[in-house]
Amino acid sequence: MTTKSTVKLPGLTTPIVLDSKAIAAHGTGPAAPDTVDLQKKFQSRQTREIQKIAARSMPVLRPAARSAAKKTGKKKAAKKTVAKKLDRTAFLDDLAGQLSTQTEGFAIEISYPYHSGRRHETRVNGYAIDPVDPGSKPWTKHVIQHVASVSKLVAAMAMTRRLHDLEVSPNKAIGAYLPPFWTQGPNIGAVTFAQLMTHKSGIRTAATDWASMEALVNTGVSAANVGVYQYENTNFSLCRILLATLLMTTLKRVHGVKTYTFVNVWPATDAARDLLSIQSYQAYVKKRVLISGETVRFMSVPGDALAYAFPKPPNNGWASGDHSTTVGAAGWHFSTTDILRFMGNFRRSGRIVKRRLAQKMLDDSFGIDMITNPGGGTIYGKNGYWYDGIRVEQATVFFLPHQTEFVVLVNSSLLKNPPNDTWLMGFVESIYAAHLS
């Protein structure tokens, strides 16, 4: 017989309902070694690509200028330059043209100021579900796909909001907010929220399941690795566990004195605890981040885009399925329109956090892979990539200058096309830069 229990977290208005049947069926890990190895493979590539873009974006000081700066203690003032302007139509058409010959299909959407409102432009091509599979479906801006690591941007928004509401600095150590029944190994308790959200925590594992994260906390991290960048999904899945504890915490201020109260409502079993962390994360994001009717699920359903290889081998499309145990690092399923809604709400509306705090989160690179200025102003990018070893689903988003937001979803691998980066985010950025003048 199925029984249900409710858990009331002080930071949520609606209780979380835990189903005994779901608890019994829920696996807490550890993840299979081949699954972790697959994640490590593309995370290593992600680290290399991000570092490549970061190096490319760093201003280089000429030897003579370095020598003069060393003697005087001052750098020569840079000449004022006029910011380049994006040829939006040429950029969209060029990107769509190149992707149309190098992918199974895609949806591109951009949102920008237009007169006193906003204008959206879209470019789509190919199949979200290829004719080789039942239910063939062309791409549109309403097609939903797993967005993989773009989910980290959502997690960063949620963490930024909850930390702000509790007046907890992102530079605060996480030790006091880890589950009280976890034993903390060396250095892990001193890692900060900011280090988790910038992949500088010292964590060196890709696993996102409950058992693996508990084992990580038990073992701790090397002091030599803390502060050193390495892309790891575990950083953001650990954020979902921390968010649950933050939702069990309340703040009261009386005569200027802050008092925090922690209500320990963690269930008795690991399966129930993990489900609580997943469901409370979903509920909080729905309440505080996805506030304009965006899709709110972690599982593929019929009609969502399937993943393919390109050029296509004789494989059918792949539905990557239920991503509940990857939540925080991955998992969200969105359309391009969904993504532009929460990006706009976050940066421009002040409805998720105040605009100044939103800008600070972007500048601090929380949940962001790329910060660069190719000539038209600073852009902030986040990449998403998920695969089964062959078939790929990808997503890339950019906060562009002039209150413009951009997203592209691709449901296959990207055919190599030198000299552009074959990583989708770098590929898009190079085409964007080519249309600045």
Side-chain angles (χ1 to χ4, degrees):
M1 187 177 80
T2 301
T3 59
K4 295 183 179 181
S5 59
T6 59
V7 182
K8 180 68 179 75
L9 282 72
L12 292 174
T13 53
T14 304
I16 301 298
V17 178
L18 298 178
D19 181 288
S20 62
K21 194 180 230 181
I23 293 170
H26 184 71
T28 60
D34 58 338
T35 301
V36 177
D37 287 346
L38 206 59
Q39 290 192 41
K40 286 293 288 183
K41 185 177 179 181
F42 67 76
Q43 285 182 182
S44 295
R45 182 184 177 198
Q46 186 115 325
T47 296
R48 290 194 303 272
E49 296 289 352
I50 291 170
Q51 289 173 334
K52 186 198 318 183
I53 290 169
R56 188 177 73 203
S57 305
M58 291 176 65
V60 177
L61 201 60
R62 295 179 182 275
R66 275 199 297 267
S67 177
K70 190 173 182 180
K71 289 178 182 177
T72 63
K74 296 180 181 179
K75 292 181 183 178
K76 188 175 179 180
K79 291 181 180 179
K80 289 186 177 180
T81 57
V82 177
K84 295 179 181 179
K85 186 176 180 181
L86 175 68
D87 185 334
R88 190 184 307 110
T89 299
F91 162 58
L92 294 174
D93 289 347
D94 188 5
L95 177 60
Q98 293 200 45
L99 287 177
S100 67
T101 61
Q102 299 181 61
T103 65
E104 167 71 19
F106 61 84
I108 298 167
E109 191 171 358
I110 193 169
S111 170
Y112 56 90
Y114 187 74
H115 298 309
S116 59
R118 304 284 301 177
R119 185 172 184 175
H120 287 234
E121 287 190 48
T122 305
R123 302 287 191 277
V124 297
N125 187 76
Y127 288 98
I129 303 175
D130 192 271
V132 301
D133 291 299
S136 176
K137 186 177 188 178
W139 267 104
T140 73
K141 66 180 183 178
H142 300 298
V143 170
I144 292 168
Q145 177 182 285
H146 174 223
V147 299
S149 287
V150 170
S151 302
K152 293 180 177 69
L153 179 61
V154 178
M157 291 176 181
M159 292 295 288
T160 296
R161 171 61 189 263
R162 187 59 184 165
L163 289 171
H164 176 72
D165 286 350
L166 290 175
E167 299 181 22
V168 174
S169 168
N171 295 315
K172 189 174 179 64
I174 66 172
Y177 302 93
L178 289 167
F181 41 84
W182 280 4
T183 300
Q184 296 180 29
N187 307 308
I188 190 69
V191 169
T192 67
F193 291 101
Q195 287 171 330
L196 283 178
M197 292 189 283
T198 54
H199 298 283
K200 293 181 179 179
S201 63
I203 289 172
R204 296 294 184 266
T205 177
T208 59
D209 60 90
W210 179 275
S212 296
M213 288 191 285
E214 182 175 8
L216 160 72
V217 170
N218 293 167
T219 303
V221 295
S222 167
N225 289 335
V226 176
V228 179
Y229 178 86
Q230 183 166 308
Y231 194 101
E232 297 288 0
N233 282 340
T234 312
N235 287 297
F236 279 84
S237 284
L238 198 56
C239 282
R240 84 157 186 263
I241 309 297
L242 291 163
L243 182 62
T245 302
L246 291 167
L247 291 171
M248 297 175 195
T249 305
T250 56
L251 166 64
K252 285 189 179 179
R253 186 187 290 277
V254 180
H255 303 304
V257 177
K258 293 193 292 186
T259 302
Y260 290 96
T261 303
F262 172 66
V263 180
N264 187 351
V265 292
W266 284 107
T269 68
D270 282 351
R273 291 164 177 166
D274 195 23
L275 280 175
L276 178 64
S277 76
I278 293 165
Q279 291 182 29
S280 59
Y281 172 79
Q282 184 178 38
Y284 185 76
V285 169
K286 180 179 180 180
K287 180 181 178 181
R288 296 300 187 194
V289 180
L290 305 180
I291 56 177
S292 294
E294 296 91 335
T295 306
V296 185
R297 57 179 163 85
F298 305 133
M299 182 182 288
S300 303
V301 301
D304 286 358
L306 298 179
Y308 296 90
F310 190 88
K312 272 200 310 291
N315 294 74
N316 290 89
W318 172 58
S320 55
D322 184 356
H323 289 274
S324 295
T325 58
T326 69
V327 165
W332 288 109
H333 288 61
F334 295 126
S335 67
T336 58
T337 300
D338 285 332
I339 294 170
L340 289 182
R341 280 176 183 162
F342 72 71
M343 289 176 71
N345 282 334
F346 180 72
R347 182 164 71 162
R348 293 183 281 103
S349 76
R351 295 172 63 200
I352 298 175
V353 295
K354 292 180 180 179
R355 284 177 287 184
R356 182 181 295 178
L357 181 58
Q359 186 59 51
K360 186 175 189 316
M361 189 200 91
L362 295 177
D363 289 334
D364 288 341
S365 199
F366 294 170
I368 292 293
D369 291 335
M370 168 196 285
I371 302 178
T372 188
N373 184 344
T378 303
I379 65 176
Y380 306 84
K382 182 72 192 88
N383 200 64
Y385 185 97
W386 201 264
Y387 77 142
D388 68 349
I390 301 173
R391 295 164 293 187
V392 179
E393 45 199 10
Q394 303 190 67
T396 285
V397 304
F398 281 101
F399 291 94
L400 298 174
H402 313 298
Q403 301 299 298
T404 298
E405 291 92 41
F406 169 90
V407 57
V408 54
L409 300 180
V410 174
N411 66 327
S412 74
S413 48
L414 181 66
L415 187 67
K416 292 182 179 180
N417 183 31
N420 292 321
D421 294 292
T422 54
W423 191 41
L424 182 61
M425 187 171 72
F427 181 83
V428 173
E429 188 267 344
S430 65
I431 296 172
Y432 170 85
H435 293 285
L436 292 169
S437 60

PDB file of all heavy atoms in Angstrom, residues 321-347:
ATOM      1  N   GLY A 321      15.819  10.721 -21.168  1.00  0.00           N
ATOM      2  CA  GLY A 321      15.050  10.184 -20.043  1.00  0.00           C
ATOM      3  C   GLY A 321      14.931  11.050 -18.822  1.00  0.00           C
ATOM      4  O   GLY A 321      14.843  12.273 -18.893  1.00  0.00           O
ATOM      5  N   ASP A 322      14.967  10.395 -17.649  1.00  0.00           N
ATOM      6  CA  ASP A 322      14.744  11.047 -16.362  1.00  0.00           C
ATOM      7  C   ASP A 322      16.082  11.526 -15.801  1.00  0.00           C
ATOM      8  O   ASP A 322      16.990  10.736 -15.552  1.00  0.00           O
ATOM      9  CB  ASP A 322      14.098  10.048 -15.396  1.00  0.00           C
ATOM     10  CG  ASP A 322      13.737  10.672 -14.053  1.00  0.00           C
ATOM     11  OD1 ASP A 322      14.052  11.852 -13.828  1.00  0.00           O
ATOM     12  OD2 ASP A 322      13.133   9.960 -13.218  1.00  0.00           O
ATOM     13  N   HIS A 323      16.185  12.832 -15.569  1.00  0.00           N
ATOM     14  CA  HIS A 323      17.433  13.421 -15.082  1.00  0.00           C
ATOM     15  C   HIS A 323      17.343  13.866 -13.624  1.00  0.00           C
ATOM     16  O   HIS A 323      18.137  14.706 -13.178  1.00  0.00           O
ATOM     17  CB  HIS A 323      17.825  14.608 -15.959  1.00  0.00           C
ATOM     18  CG  HIS A 323      18.292  14.230 -17.322  1.00  0.00           C
ATOM     19  ND1 HIS A 323      19.600  13.900 -17.605  1.00  0.00           N
ATOM     20  CD2 HIS A 323      17.611  14.092 -18.491  1.00  0.00           C
ATOM     21  CE1 HIS A 323      19.707  13.604 -18.884  1.00  0.00           C
ATOM     22  NE2 HIS A 323      18.515  13.702 -19.442  1.00  0.00           N
ATOM     23  N   SER A 324      16.409  13.312 -12.884  1.00  0.00           N
ATOM     24  CA  SER A 324      16.191  13.767 -11.502  1.00  0.00           C
ATOM     25  C   SER A 324      17.457  13.711 -10.652  1.00  0.00           C
ATOM     26  O   SER A 324      17.716  14.611  -9.853  1.00  0.00           O
ATOM     27  CB  SER A 324      15.095  12.931 -10.832  1.00  0.00           C
ATOM     28  OG  SER A 324      13.859  13.129 -11.472  1.00  0.00           O
ATOM     29  N   THR A 325      18.252  12.643 -10.819  1.00  0.00           N
ATOM     30  CA  THR A 325      19.426  12.499  -9.952  1.00  0.00           C
ATOM     31  C   THR A 325      20.612  13.352 -10.414  1.00  0.00           C
ATOM     32  O   THR A 325      21.664  13.343  -9.778  1.00  0.00           O
ATOM     33  CB  THR A 325      19.870  11.025  -9.871  1.00  0.00           C
ATOM     34  OG1 THR A 325      20.153  10.534 -11.178  1.00  0.00           O
ATOM     35  CG2 THR A 325      18.777  10.180  -9.226  1.00  0.00           C
ATOM     36  N   THR A 326      20.441  14.092 -11.516  1.00  0.00           N
ATOM     37  CA  THR A 326      21.484  15.031 -11.950  1.00  0.00           C
ATOM     38  C   THR A 326      21.106  16.474 -11.648  1.00  0.00           C
ATOM     39  O   THR A 326      21.832  17.401 -12.011  1.00  0.00           O
ATOM     40  CB  THR A 326      21.756  14.904 -13.462  1.00  0.00           C
ATOM     41  OG1 THR A 326      20.622  15.402 -14.190  1.00  0.00           O
ATOM     42  CG2 THR A 326      22.028  13.467 -13.863  1.00  0.00           C
ATOM     43  N   VAL A 327      19.959  16.658 -10.985  1.00  0.00           N
ATOM     44  CA  VAL A 327      19.405  17.997 -10.781  1.00  0.00           C
ATOM     45  C   VAL A 327      20.408  18.923 -10.090  1.00  0.00           C
ATOM     46  O   VAL A 327      21.099  18.538  -9.162  1.00  0.00           O
ATOM     47  CB  VAL A 327      18.100  17.891  -9.965  1.00  0.00           C
ATOM     48  CG1 VAL A 327      17.680  19.242  -9.418  1.00  0.00           C
ATOM     49  CG2 VAL A 327      17.005  17.319 -10.833  1.00  0.00           C
ATOM     50  N   GLY A 328      20.414  20.159 -10.573  1.00  0.00           N
ATOM     51  CA  GLY A 328      21.382  21.156 -10.133  1.00  0.00           C
ATOM     52  C   GLY A 328      22.422  21.315 -11.211  1.00  0.00           C
ATOM     53  O   GLY A 328      22.664  22.414 -11.710  1.00  0.00           O
ATOM     54  N   ALA A 329      23.019  20.196 -11.636  1.00  0.00           N
ATOM     55  CA  ALA A 329      24.027  20.215 -12.701  1.00  0.00           C
ATOM     56  C   ALA A 329      23.391  20.138 -14.081  1.00  0.00           C
ATOM     57  O   ALA A 329      23.890  20.721 -15.043  1.00  0.00           O
ATOM     58  CB  ALA A 329      24.991  19.051 -12.526  1.00  0.00           C
ATOM     59  N   ALA A 330      22.315  19.393 -14.205  1.00  0.00           N
ATOM     60  CA  ALA A 330      21.636  19.189 -15.480  1.00  0.00           C
ATOM     61  C   ALA A 330      20.155  18.975 -15.180  1.00  0.00           C
ATOM     62  O   ALA A 330      19.694  19.265 -14.078  1.00  0.00           O
ATOM     63  CB  ALA A 330      22.252  17.991 -16.217  1.00  0.00           C
ATOM     64  N   GLY A 331      19.406  18.480 -16.167  1.00  0.00           N
ATOM     65  CA  GLY A 331      18.050  18.038 -15.870  1.00  0.00           C
ATOM     66  C   GLY A 331      16.900  18.829 -16.450  1.00  0.00           C
ATOM     67  O   GLY A 331      15.891  18.247 -16.840  1.00  0.00           O
ATOM     68  N   TRP A 332      17.017  20.160 -16.523  1.00  0.00           N
ATOM     69  CA  TRP A 332      15.862  20.930 -16.970  1.00  0.00           C
ATOM     70  C   TRP A 332      15.596  20.710 -18.456  1.00  0.00           C
ATOM     71  O   TRP A 332      16.523  20.583 -19.263  1.00  0.00           O
ATOM     72  CB  TRP A 332      16.065  22.418 -16.702  1.00  0.00           C
ATOM     73  CG  TRP A 332      15.981  22.793 -15.255  1.00  0.00           C
ATOM     74  CD1 TRP A 332      16.997  23.175 -14.446  1.00  0.00           C
ATOM     75  CD2 TRP A 332      14.796  22.793 -14.437  1.00  0.00           C
ATOM     76  NE1 TRP A 332      16.536  23.420 -13.166  1.00  0.00           N
ATOM     77  CE2 TRP A 332      15.191  23.195 -13.137  1.00  0.00           C
ATOM     78  CE3 TRP A 332      13.459  22.499 -14.673  1.00  0.00           C
ATOM     79  CZ2 TRP A 332      14.276  23.306 -12.082  1.00  0.00           C
ATOM     80  CZ3 TRP A 332      12.545  22.610 -13.614  1.00  0.00           C
ATOM     81  CH2 TRP A 332      12.958  23.009 -12.344  1.00  0.00           C
ATOM     82  N   HIS A 333      14.317  20.696 -18.809  1.00  0.00           N
ATOM     83  CA  HIS A 333      13.858  20.558 -20.189  1.00  0.00           C
ATOM     84  C   HIS A 333      13.116  21.841 -20.568  1.00  0.00           C
ATOM     85  O   HIS A 333      12.117  22.193 -19.925  1.00  0.00           O
ATOM     86  CB  HIS A 333      12.931  19.355 -20.341  1.00  0.00           C
ATOM     87  CG  HIS A 333      13.613  18.033 -20.246  1.00  0.00           C
ATOM     88  ND1 HIS A 333      14.291  17.616 -19.125  1.00  0.00           N
ATOM     89  CD2 HIS A 333      13.733  17.022 -21.159  1.00  0.00           C
ATOM     90  CE1 HIS A 333      14.791  16.409 -19.340  1.00  0.00           C
ATOM     91  NE2 HIS A 333      14.466  16.027 -20.565  1.00  0.00           N
ATOM     92  N   PHE A 334      13.607  22.523 -21.602  1.00  0.00           N
ATOM     93  CA  PHE A 334      13.029  23.810 -21.985  1.00  0.00           C
ATOM     94  C   PHE A 334      12.944  23.944 -23.501  1.00  0.00           C
ATOM     95  O   PHE A 334      13.678  23.290 -24.239  1.00  0.00           O
ATOM     96  CB  PHE A 334      13.895  24.974 -21.479  1.00  0.00           C
ATOM     97  CG  PHE A 334      13.994  25.126 -19.985  1.00  0.00           C
ATOM     98  CD1 PHE A 334      15.233  25.177 -19.374  1.00  0.00           C
ATOM     99  CD2 PHE A 334      12.859  25.231 -19.194  1.00  0.00           C
ATOM    100  CE1 PHE A 334      15.356  25.340 -18.000  1.00  0.00           C
ATOM    101  CE2 PHE A 334      12.958  25.386 -17.821  1.00  0.00           C
ATOM    102  CZ  PHE A 334      14.205  25.441 -17.216  1.00  0.00           C
ATOM    103  N   SER A 335      12.087  24.863 -23.930  1.00  0.00           N
ATOM    104  CA  SER A 335      12.105  25.366 -25.303  1.00  0.00           C
ATOM    105  C   SER A 335      12.948  26.634 -25.327  1.00  0.00           C
ATOM    106  O   SER A 335      13.306  27.187 -24.272  1.00  0.00           O
ATOM    107  CB  SER A 335      10.682  25.691 -25.769  1.00  0.00           C
ATOM    108  OG  SER A 335      10.161  26.792 -25.018  1.00  0.00           O
ATOM    109  N   THR A 336      13.264  27.128 -26.521  1.00  0.00           N
ATOM    110  CA  THR A 336      14.012  28.388 -26.600  1.00  0.00           C
ATOM    111  C   THR A 336      13.211  29.526 -25.972  1.00  0.00           C
ATOM    112  O   THR A 336      13.778  30.394 -25.302  1.00  0.00           O
ATOM    113  CB  THR A 336      14.360  28.748 -28.060  1.00  0.00           C
ATOM    114  OG1 THR A 336      13.167  28.849 -28.826  1.00  0.00           O
ATOM    115  CG2 THR A 336      15.285  27.711 -28.673  1.00  0.00           C
ATOM    116  N   THR A 337      11.906  29.504 -26.150  1.00  0.00           N
ATOM    117  CA  THR A 337      11.062  30.558 -25.586  1.00  0.00           C
ATOM    118  C   THR A 337      11.067  30.509 -24.062  1.00  0.00           C
ATOM    119  O   THR A 337      11.115  31.552 -23.395  1.00  0.00           O
ATOM    120  CB  THR A 337       9.625  30.449 -26.128  1.00  0.00           C
ATOM    121  OG1 THR A 337       9.666  30.579 -27.554  1.00  0.00           O
ATOM    122  CG2 THR A 337       8.731  31.538 -25.561  1.00  0.00           C
ATOM    123  N   ASP A 338      11.020  29.309 -23.484  1.00  0.00           N
ATOM    124  CA  ASP A 338      11.132  29.162 -22.031  1.00  0.00           C
ATOM    125  C   ASP A 338      12.404  29.842 -21.522  1.00  0.00           C
ATOM    126  O   ASP A 338      12.395  30.589 -20.545  1.00  0.00           O
ATOM    127  CB  ASP A 338      11.215  27.683 -21.634  1.00  0.00           C
ATOM    128  CG  ASP A 338       9.896  26.936 -21.729  1.00  0.00           C
ATOM    129  OD1 ASP A 338       8.835  27.553 -21.578  1.00  0.00           O
ATOM    130  OD2 ASP A 338       9.945  25.704 -21.946  1.00  0.00           O
ATOM    131  N   ILE A 339      13.513  29.542 -22.190  1.00  0.00           N
ATOM    132  CA  ILE A 339      14.815  30.031 -21.726  1.00  0.00           C
ATOM    133  C   ILE A 339      14.889  31.548 -21.799  1.00  0.00           C
ATOM    134  O   ILE A 339      15.360  32.205 -20.859  1.00  0.00           O
ATOM    135  CB  ILE A 339      15.950  29.377 -22.544  1.00  0.00           C
ATOM    136  CG1 ILE A 339      15.989  27.871 -22.259  1.00  0.00           C
ATOM    137  CG2 ILE A 339      17.302  30.009 -22.211  1.00  0.00           C
ATOM    138  CD1 ILE A 339      16.899  27.089 -23.182  1.00  0.00           C
ATOM    139  N   LEU A 340      14.408  32.126 -22.898  1.00  0.00           N
ATOM    140  CA  LEU A 340      14.449  33.583 -23.018  1.00  0.00           C
ATOM    141  C   LEU A 340      13.583  34.253 -21.963  1.00  0.00           C
ATOM    142  O   LEU A 340      13.906  35.350 -21.487  1.00  0.00           O
ATOM    143  CB  LEU A 340      14.007  34.015 -24.414  1.00  0.00           C
ATOM    144  CG  LEU A 340      14.993  33.700 -25.549  1.00  0.00           C
ATOM    145  CD1 LEU A 340      14.446  34.218 -26.874  1.00  0.00           C
ATOM    146  CD2 LEU A 340      16.366  34.299 -25.281  1.00  0.00           C
ATOM    147  N   ARG A 341      12.510  33.595 -21.567  1.00  0.00           N
ATOM    148  CA  ARG A 341      11.655  34.176 -20.518  1.00  0.00           C
ATOM    149  C   ARG A 341      12.406  34.306 -19.203  1.00  0.00           C
ATOM    150  O   ARG A 341      12.412  35.375 -18.589  1.00  0.00           O
ATOM    151  CB  ARG A 341      10.409  33.302 -20.318  1.00  0.00           C
ATOM    152  CG  ARG A 341       9.317  33.504 -21.341  1.00  0.00           C
ATOM    153  CD  ARG A 341       8.171  32.527 -21.100  1.00  0.00           C
ATOM    154  NE  ARG A 341       7.130  32.648 -22.099  1.00  0.00           N
ATOM    155  CZ  ARG A 341       6.205  31.730 -22.335  1.00  0.00           C
ATOM    156  NH1 ARG A 341       6.210  30.598 -21.625  1.00  0.00           N
ATOM    157  NH2 ARG A 341       5.297  31.910 -23.258  1.00  0.00           N
ATOM    158  N   PHE A 342      13.042  33.216 -18.740  1.00  0.00           N
ATOM    159  CA  PHE A 342      13.693  33.337 -17.433  1.00  0.00           C
ATOM    160  C   PHE A 342      14.975  34.152 -17.513  1.00  0.00           C
ATOM    161  O   PHE A 342      15.356  34.813 -16.543  1.00  0.00           O
ATOM    162  CB  PHE A 342      13.883  31.977 -16.745  1.00  0.00           C
ATOM    163  CG  PHE A 342      14.916  31.044 -17.309  1.00  0.00           C
ATOM    164  CD1 PHE A 342      16.277  31.290 -17.177  1.00  0.00           C
ATOM    165  CD2 PHE A 342      14.528  29.861 -17.918  1.00  0.00           C
ATOM    166  CE1 PHE A 342      17.221  30.403 -17.666  1.00  0.00           C
ATOM    167  CE2 PHE A 342      15.469  28.962 -18.404  1.00  0.00           C
ATOM    168  CZ  PHE A 342      16.825  29.241 -18.285  1.00  0.00           C
ATOM    169  N   MET A 343      15.645  34.151 -18.665  1.00  0.00           N
ATOM    170  CA  MET A 343      16.822  35.022 -18.810  1.00  0.00           C
ATOM    171  C   MET A 343      16.425  36.488 -18.711  1.00  0.00           C
ATOM    172  O   MET A 343      17.086  37.282 -18.030  1.00  0.00           O
ATOM    173  CB  MET A 343      17.519  34.756 -20.148  1.00  0.00           C
ATOM    174  CG  MET A 343      18.244  33.419 -20.226  1.00  0.00           C
ATOM    175  SD  MET A 343      18.957  33.097 -21.873  1.00  0.00           S
ATOM    176  CE  MET A 343      20.321  34.290 -21.880  1.00  0.00           C
ATOM    177  N   GLY A 344      15.349  36.853 -19.380  1.00  0.00           N
ATOM    178  CA  GLY A 344      14.869  38.232 -19.329  1.00  0.00           C
ATOM    179  C   GLY A 344      14.370  38.615 -17.950  1.00  0.00           C
ATOM    180  O   GLY A 344      14.655  39.714 -17.446  1.00  0.00           O
ATOM    181  N   ASN A 345      13.618  37.715 -17.331  1.00  0.00           N
ATOM    182  CA  ASN A 345      13.132  37.992 -15.973  1.00  0.00           C
ATOM    183  C   ASN A 345      14.286  38.188 -15.002  1.00  0.00           C
ATOM    184  O   ASN A 345      14.231  39.039 -14.114  1.00  0.00           O
ATOM    185  CB  ASN A 345      12.240  36.848 -15.485  1.00  0.00           C
ATOM    186  CG  ASN A 345      10.847  36.897 -16.063  1.00  0.00           C
ATOM    187  OD1 ASN A 345      10.349  37.961 -16.429  1.00  0.00           O
ATOM    188  ND2 ASN A 345      10.199  35.746 -16.170  1.00  0.00           N
ATOM    189  N   PHE A 346      15.333  37.404 -15.177  1.00  0.00           N
ATOM    190  CA  PHE A 346      16.469  37.492 -14.263  1.00  0.00           C
ATOM    191  C   PHE A 346      17.243  38.793 -14.440  1.00  0.00           C
ATOM    192  O   PHE A 346      17.481  39.519 -13.474  1.00  0.00           O
ATOM    193  CB  PHE A 346      17.408  36.313 -14.488  1.00  0.00           C
ATOM    194  CG  PHE A 346      18.617  36.327 -13.588  1.00  0.00           C
ATOM    195  CD1 PHE A 346      18.486  36.049 -12.235  1.00  0.00           C
ATOM    196  CD2 PHE A 346      19.872  36.649 -14.079  1.00  0.00           C
ATOM    197  CE1 PHE A 346      19.594  36.081 -11.390  1.00  0.00           C
ATOM    198  CE2 PHE A 346      20.979  36.677 -13.251  1.00  0.00           C
ATOM    199  CZ  PHE A 346      20.838  36.393 -11.906  1.00  0.00           C
ATOM    200  N   ARG A 347      17.619  39.106 -15.664  1.00  0.00           N
ATOM    201  CA  ARG A 347      18.500  40.264 -15.865  1.00  0.00           C
ATOM    202  C   ARG A 347      17.759  41.589 -15.901  1.00  0.00           C
ATOM    203  O   ARG A 347      18.277  42.600 -15.438  1.00  0.00           O
ATOM    204  CB  ARG A 347      19.307  40.104 -17.161  1.00  0.00           C
ATOM    205  CG  ARG A 347      20.267  41.276 -17.372  1.00  0.00           C
ATOM    206  CD  ARG A 347      21.342  41.018 -18.393  1.00  0.00           C
ATOM    207  NE  ARG A 347      20.858  40.963 -19.766  1.00  0.00           N
ATOM    208  CZ  ARG A 347      21.656  41.087 -20.836  1.00  0.00           C
ATOM    209  NH1 ARG A 347      22.960  41.279 -20.670  1.00  0.00           N
ATOM    210  NH2 ARG A 347      21.167  40.985 -22.044  1.00  0.00           N
TER     211      ARG A 347
END
